[in-house]
Amino acid sequence: MMHAFETLQLAQLAFPAEMNNSVLAPYLFVSAAMFCIGLIGFMTRKNMIIMFLCTELMFQAAGLSLIAFGRHHLGSDGQTFVIFVLTVAAAEAAMALALVVLLFRHRESLSASAWKELNG
Amino acid sequence: MTEKLAILWPEIFLFIATCLVMITGQWPSRAIRAFTPWICAVALFAAFGAAMSSPGSGSAHGGMFPEIVPYAKMLIAAVGMLILLLLSGTVDRELEAEVDAGKPFSSIRSNRGEFYAFFMFSLTGLMLTASADDLIWLFLALELTSLPTYIMVAISTERKKSLEAAVKYFFLGALGAAIFLYGFALIYGATGSTNLSEIATVFATQTANGGISSLGMIGLLIAIIGIAFKIAAVPMHFYTPDVYQGAASPVAAMLAFVPKTAGFLALMFILGTVGWNDGTAGGGHLPVAIEATLWIMAALTMTVGNILALLQTSVKRILAYSSIAHSGYMLVGLIAGPGIIGGPFYQNGLAAVLFYLLTYGIMTVGVFAVLASLEHRNGDEADDMDDIRGLCKSHPVLGWTLVICTLSMLGFPPLLGFLGKVGLFTSGIAAGQYALIVILGINSAIAACYYLRLVAAAYIDDKGKVSSPVYASPFATRKIAGVVSAFFVLFLLVFAQPMINGAYNASKYVPAVAGEVEHNDHTDRHTQSSPAKADEDVALTHKALID
């Protein structure tokens, strides 16, 4: 644990100064854009695979800001967080694909609008 | 490390049970398969005992909520036990029937192991949420709570509708998770720390120097909206009726309690970082933007939930909308906050929320237990309003359970739900949220319409005109779960004082003090946060004074 932290500090020695706001801003902008694209995509698309990819995009948007902020604050928290986020995203991907395959076997369609049994 | 381990024993017991259950659920021998729920029960008992003797989270929350861990985990283990009673026979019914008829057991088709393991995983995640002291931990705990529930919904019945429900639940759940994760990222960006108490210190410093930075504020709002999915509050409530209707009743009962509790605990911790002391005179309140968001959320959640519940004919959908409405009620307690430090129970919104989670858990398990104990000839669960007509005459025990638990959900005076609601009302009044309290009152009146419809259907209506009759399901433990819930609803009135005290102690909130936080100095932080070291320091100072 301690060793990893020292390695990180060594790596950060290559860019010793805190990232200032003008360097941070583009990362945050891209991350916000990814988040919004994901959100809009989730609401407008009907294909379940695309909808899932949109939520993945939102997860990665958060990951990008975490890395940028982590570098900005010169701490290891952001990077640590991202590793856990990737793990959870992988678990969710496995689950999403399993569910979508199961649904596809029943309806031969990936469209979310093919499933309307429950309403009222 | 060891003091952290001391509060994690309940989770460790549950996790051990999770691993065992995955194996025994697939065992070829029937006796061992049937033993699976008992392992869960033993683990829940052990977790309850460990939580009872657990120290408060102390340093784990950096003092923000120093006493919440024992109460929250006892609550989770107790309601978890009720839900466990309810879960029996949910999966593998056809498979076990075939085994009875002489076919060999096929472990590939069996879902029992996974089902109970996922249930235990979800409760583990819920307990971990209660002990969270860090944004990373909180995120992982919330995900561990909800990921297993998606699968549980999918395998809870053999019908297509539970698949549809699972997919809807999963997609909106992933969306909610992505949203609150983005909020967490922005909070981290604004404060430079993922530790909740350090975040609280930074926010307190920022407040003292002219207000929380806009980045932090946006992060908090996004996180709150994301967590709204877990509690089924308004912008993220759409999935609730479909999912409750599609899932089997026992799983629906679990969905009403587990994610909601996780969401409210998470909201408490997130709101705890900004504190309820913006503006000084008498108690204070949350920062304006957050309070406004929560206010609108609470008002809309109550109203939407109650009004849409009026239009339903499916009992499960009514319960789903009532679950939305109950989230709205509890948000009032969160807005009111802990009141004056050291103030009485009736002014403390957080204590009211913690107590209400217990009462809501018991009542909702009771009602769902009644639905789970009734089924049609073809194995379909009771769901329609017609299914519960005349229940007090045809199945008196189930009928009266339904009547008692429903009246309690309505907040009928001598019952448990009334006690819970009184806390929310009085804390809201103490915090000066009069408009919100009026909305809460009006909503309780609207809710009476559909709750009384349920009561009338069970008590007054005649069975005679119903076409497809319902029968008692063969799983006696479901009935027991209902009866135990009804028993608690009636008799906790007399014995509620220890639980009210527990909730009151658990809600103890220590606001952060403005000051400098050392970033990027992990070694330093560890030594600083060690209480043993601090005690040593105190002892040394004492010694110096005496000398």
Side-chain angles (χ1 to χ4, degrees), chain B residues 139-214:
Chain B
F139 169 71
L140 289 173
L142 285 173
E143 287 297 282
L144 183 61
T145 314
S146 41
L147 286 183
T149 57
Y150 306 142
I151 304 286
M152 284 180 76
V153 172
I155 62 179
S156 66
T157 72
E158 308 270 319
R159 311 259 184 283
K160 271 185 199 167
K161 60 179 183 159
S162 62
L163 269 186
E164 183 187 340
V167 168
K168 279 185 179 165
Y169 192 36
F170 171 77
F171 275 91
L172 284 169
L175 181 72
I179 292 176
F180 72 70
L181 175 65
Y182 194 71
F184 285 1
L186 295 187
I187 294 173
Y188 167 62
T191 57
S193 171
T194 56
N195 185 294
L196 287 175
S197 54
E198 282 177 24
I199 291 172
T201 314
V202 174
F203 278 147
T205 317
Q206 286 179 352
T207 311
N209 301 333
I212 292 169
S213 66
S214 53

Side-chain angles (χ1 to χ4, degrees), chain A residues 1-2 5 9 12 28 31-33 35 38-39 42-43 48-49 51-52 55 58-63 65-66 69-81 84-85 88 91-93 95-96 99-100 102-103 106-107 115-120, chain B residues 135-136 139-140 143 146-151 154 159-168 170-175 177-179 181-182 184-186 188-195 198 215 222 242-243 245-246 312 317 321 519-523 525:
Chain A
M1 179 62 206
M2 213 44 232
F5 185 64
Q9 277 186 326
Q12 283 173 346
L28 295 187
S31 141
F35 186 79
L39 191 59
F42 185 87
M43 296 190 174
M48 284 191 286
I49 300 274
M51 281 166 78
F52 177 68
T55 61
M58 291 164 77
F59 263 89
Q60 302 319 321
S65 350
L66 280 172
F69 281 130
R71 185 66 189 77
H72 174 67
H73 293 300
L74 287 181
S76 61
D77 288 349
Q79 282 91 333
T80 319
F81 206 153
F84 286 113
V85 169
V88 169
E92 283 201 340
M95 216 156 175
L99 281 174
V100 168
L102 214 55
L103 282 184
H106 280 285
R107 281 285 149 91
W115 291 86
K116 285 190 172 150
E117 212 172 299
L118 295 168
N119 49 42
Chain B
L135 283 183
I136 304 178
F139 169 71
L140 289 173
E143 287 297 282
S146 41
L147 286 183
T149 57
Y150 306 142
I151 304 286
R159 311 259 184 283
K160 271 185 199 167
K161 60 179 183 159
S162 62
L163 269 186
E164 183 187 340
V167 168
K168 279 185 179 165
F170 171 77
F171 275 91
L172 284 169
L175 181 72
I179 292 176
L181 175 65
Y182 194 71
F184 285 1
L186 295 187
Y188 167 62
T191 57
S193 171
T194 56
N195 185 294
E198 282 177 24
L215 191 64
I222 293 179
D242 288 353
V243 172
Q245 196 183 18
Q312 308 302 323
R317 289 184 85 89
Y321 282 113
H519 294 315
N520 195 22
D521 213 344
H522 286 239
T523 42
R525 200 166 88 194

Side-chain angles (χ1 to χ4, degrees), chain B residues 88-110:
Chain B
S88 71
T90 309
V91 289
D92 279 5
R93 249 182 102 170
E94 289 172 23
L95 187 68
E96 294 294 341
E98 283 177 16
V99 173
D100 282 343
K103 283 194 183 173
F105 173 75
S106 109
S107 60
I108 293 189
R109 280 179 56 207
S110 164

Side-chain angles (χ1 to χ4, degrees), chain A residues 40-51:
Chain A
I40 293 167
F42 185 87
M43 296 190 174
T44 53
R45 302 301 289 266
K46 286 282 171 218
N47 184 308
M48 284 191 286
I49 300 274
I50 304 279
M51 281 166 78

Side-chain angles (χ1 to χ4, degrees), chain B residues 88-423:
Chain B
S88 71
T90 309
V91 289
D92 279 5
R93 249 182 102 170
E94 289 172 23
L95 187 68
E96 294 294 341
E98 283 177 16
V99 173
D100 282 343
K103 283 194 183 173
F105 173 75
S106 109
S107 60
I108 293 189
R109 280 179 56 207
S110 164
N111 283 330
R112 187 194 293 262
E114 295 92 316
F115 188 72
Y116 283 106
F118 282 139
F119 171 64
M120 297 306 270
F121 263 136
S122 195
L123 287 186
T124 314
L126 185 50
M127 287 197 178
L128 282 170
T129 311
S131 23
D133 64 343
D134 195 285
L135 283 183
I136 304 178
W137 183 327
L138 191 58
F139 169 71
L140 289 173
L142 285 173
E143 287 297 282
L144 183 61
T145 314
S146 41
L147 286 183
T149 57
Y150 306 142
I151 304 286
M152 284 180 76
V153 172
I155 62 179
S156 66
T157 72
E158 308 270 319
R159 311 259 184 283
K160 271 185 199 167
K161 60 179 183 159
S162 62
L163 269 186
E164 183 187 340
V167 168
K168 279 185 179 165
Y169 192 36
F170 171 77
F171 275 91
L172 284 169
L175 181 72
I179 292 176
F180 72 70
L181 175 65
Y182 194 71
F184 285 1
L186 295 187
I187 294 173
Y188 167 62
T191 57
S193 171
T194 56
N195 185 294
L196 287 175
S197 54
E198 282 177 24
I199 291 172
T201 314
V202 174
F203 278 147
T205 317
Q206 286 179 352
T207 311
N209 301 333
I212 292 169
S213 66
S214 53
L215 191 64
M217 194 51 94
I218 295 171
L220 286 166
L221 292 177
I222 293 179
I224 289 170
I225 290 173
I227 295 173
F229 167 83
K230 305 269 180 239
I231 61 171
V234 141
M236 311 283 282
H237 68 289
F238 300 103
Y239 71 93
T240 326
D242 288 353
V243 172
Y244 284 25
Q245 196 183 18
S249 300
V251 176
M254 184 196 157
L255 295 183
F257 173 73
V258 173
K260 204 184 282 290
T261 309
F264 273 102
L265 289 173
L267 275 181
M268 262 176 77
F269 296 155
I270 296 284
L271 294 178
T273 60
V274 281
W276 285 265
N277 38 19
D278 199 48
T280 43
H285 51 84
L286 290 163
V288 180
I290 293 178
E291 186 175 85
T293 312
L294 283 175
W295 199 100
I296 295 168
M297 209 188 248
L300 281 179
T301 307
M302 288 187 252
T303 317
V304 166
N306 279 325
I307 289 185
L308 290 181
L310 289 176
L311 311 173
Q312 308 302 323
T313 54
S314 146
V315 180
K316 272 187 187 170
R317 289 184 85 89
I318 291 180
L319 290 176
Y321 282 113
S322 102
S323 143
I324 296 175
H326 281 281
S327 285
Y329 303 157
M330 283 189 262
L331 280 173
V332 176
L334 276 189
I335 294 170
I340 307 155
I341 304 294
F345 173 79
Y346 64 84
Q347 291 183 350
N348 190 328
L350 298 184
V353 170
L354 287 171
F355 184 63
Y356 204 84
L357 282 172
L358 174 71
T359 61
Y360 179 72
I362 294 174
M363 303 182 293
T364 202
V365 168
V367 181
F368 276 112
V370 172
L371 287 183
S373 309
L374 295 170
E375 60 185 27
H376 293 280
R377 217 7 125 209
N378 62 0
D380 271 341
E381 288 177 313
D383 184 18
D384 200 78
M385 207 62 161
D386 283 338
D387 296 340
I388 60 163
R389 282 191 207 287
L391 206 57
C392 285
K393 291 191 192 93
S394 54
H395 301 92
V397 175
L398 293 176
W400 284 105
T401 304
L402 182 73
V403 169
I404 291 168
C405 292
T406 314
L407 283 178
S408 170
M409 278 181 139
L410 159 65
F412 200 71
L415 296 172
L416 188 61
F418 171 73
L419 275 186
K421 224 176 217 171
V422 164

